[in-house]
Amino acid sequence: MTLAATYRLGTRLFWKDRGMLIGTVITPVGLSIGLPVLMRNVTAEGVAAAAHLFHGMIAMTLAITTFMTVVVAITTRRDQLVLKRLRTTELTDAQILGGQIASVVTQTVVIIALSVLAVRLLAGVPLPGDPLLFTAAVVLGSAVMALLGAAYTAAIPRAELAAAFAMPVFLLAGVGAGAMGPIPLPSFLQAALDLLPTAAVVSAIRHGEVLVPALILAGWTVIGIAGLRLWFRWEPRRS
C-alpha cells in the first residue's frame, strides 16, 4: 500500500458517505453560488457585491469542505480503529495522513474551480485576474486548513462531536472574510481575524497580495505540523 492507495481510499470513502456529501459539498456549493447570484440581482452594487461575497464564500468553503471534512473523517476513522490498523501496514504515519489530506485538497480545489465558473455564468463575477495566484492561494490555503484539521482532531473526544467542534472555525472564517456581511468589530479583533489562514487566502484573491498571506500560511503550517507531532491520537481515548 502506498500514498496513492491511501489517497484513493480517502476519496472513495468520502464520496460514499451521503451525509458527508450533503454537509461538506452540496451545502457550501449551494451557498457559494446561490448567495452571489442573489446579491447580483438584489443590490445596487450588482456584480461588485456578488464578487466580494463570492470571495468571502471561498473562505467558508475552505472551512467546511476542507477543515470540517478532515476533522470528521479522521475522528471517525480513529474511533473505528481504521487508523490504528493502517499503522500496522508498511505505510508511514506521513503517508496515512498525507493521503487523506491530499484527497480533501483535490476535492476542495475542484469544487472551488467549478464555483468560479458557475458564478461567472450566473452572476457575471469576473474570472480571476491572476489565475496563477488564485490557484496557488486556493491550493495552499486548502492544504493548510486540512493540516490544521488533522491536528485539531486531538481536541475532539469522539466522532459524534466532530462537526460541532468544527463549527467555531466555520463561523470565524466567515466573519473574518466578510462572508456574513459587514459586521462592526473592534480593531484588535479584526486584526486577529486577519491572521486566520482563510483570511490570508481571501486577501490574496481580492487584493493580489502575496507576501503577507504567504507568511501567514507558513506560520499556520508550522503550527499544524507541531500540533500533529505533539498531540495527534491514532486511537480513541480509553475511558
Side-chain angles (χ1 to χ4, degrees):
M1 188 179 247
T2 63
L3 177 63
T6 61
Y7 175 92
R8 292 193 297 270
L9 174 63
T11 302
R12 185 166 62 251
L13 292 176
F14 174 82
W15 290 105
K16 284 185 176 181
D17 190 334
R18 293 183 180 180
M20 182 76 76
L21 289 178
I22 294 174
T24 63
V25 176
I26 296 175
T27 299
V29 167
L31 291 174
S32 62
I33 296 174
L35 291 180
V37 171
L38 179 65
M39 293 294 288
R40 169 69 176 83
N41 293 298
V42 302
T43 62
E45 294 82 2
V47 173
H52 187 273
L53 180 59
F54 176 66
H55 294 155
M57 292 307 302
I58 290 177
M60 303 283 273
T61 302
L62 292 175
I64 301 176
T65 306
T66 306
F67 185 87
M68 187 177 291
T69 296
V70 168
V71 166
V72 173
I74 289 182
T75 52
T76 299
R77 291 165 200 171
R78 180 194 68 196
D79 288 5
Q80 293 173 345
L81 301 180
V82 173
L83 296 182
K84 185 177 182 179
R85 289 195 293 271
L86 286 174
R87 295 189 85 194
T88 64
T89 68
E90 297 178 355
L91 288 171
T92 65
D93 292 351
Q95 287 175 324
I96 295 172
L97 293 179
Q100 175 66 57
I101 289 173
S103 172
V104 173
V105 169
T106 301
Q107 291 152 196
T108 303
V109 172
V110 170
I111 288 170
I112 291 178
L114 293 175
S115 298
V116 168
L117 296 176
V119 295
R120 170 58 182 165
L121 294 173
L122 300 176
V125 174
L127 296 174
D130 188 339
L132 183 60
L133 176 60
F134 181 91
T135 302
V138 169
V139 172
L140 292 176
S142 181
V144 171
M145 291 298 290
L147 180 64
L148 292 172
Y152 189 65
T153 59
I156 302 174
R158 59 183 186 274
E160 293 84 354
L161 300 175
F165 270 68
M167 191 59 64
V169 176
F170 162 74
L171 296 174
L172 288 174
V175 173
M180 298 182 179
I183 301 176
L185 297 172
S187 57
F188 73 91
L189 182 55
Q190 185 60 59
L193 292 176
D194 289 341
L195 295 176
L196 292 173
T198 48
V201 172
V202 174
S203 178
I205 291 172
R206 278 181 180 160
H207 310 298
E209 297 180 5
V210 176
L211 180 58
V212 173
L215 291 175
I216 292 173
L217 292 176
W220 282 106
T221 300
V222 172
I223 292 172
I225 292 174
L228 284 176
R229 290 183 176 276
L230 292 173
W231 299 299
F232 186 79
R233 293 186 289 114
W234 293 92
E235 56 185 287
R237 291 193 183 101
R238 298 183 183 278
S239 60

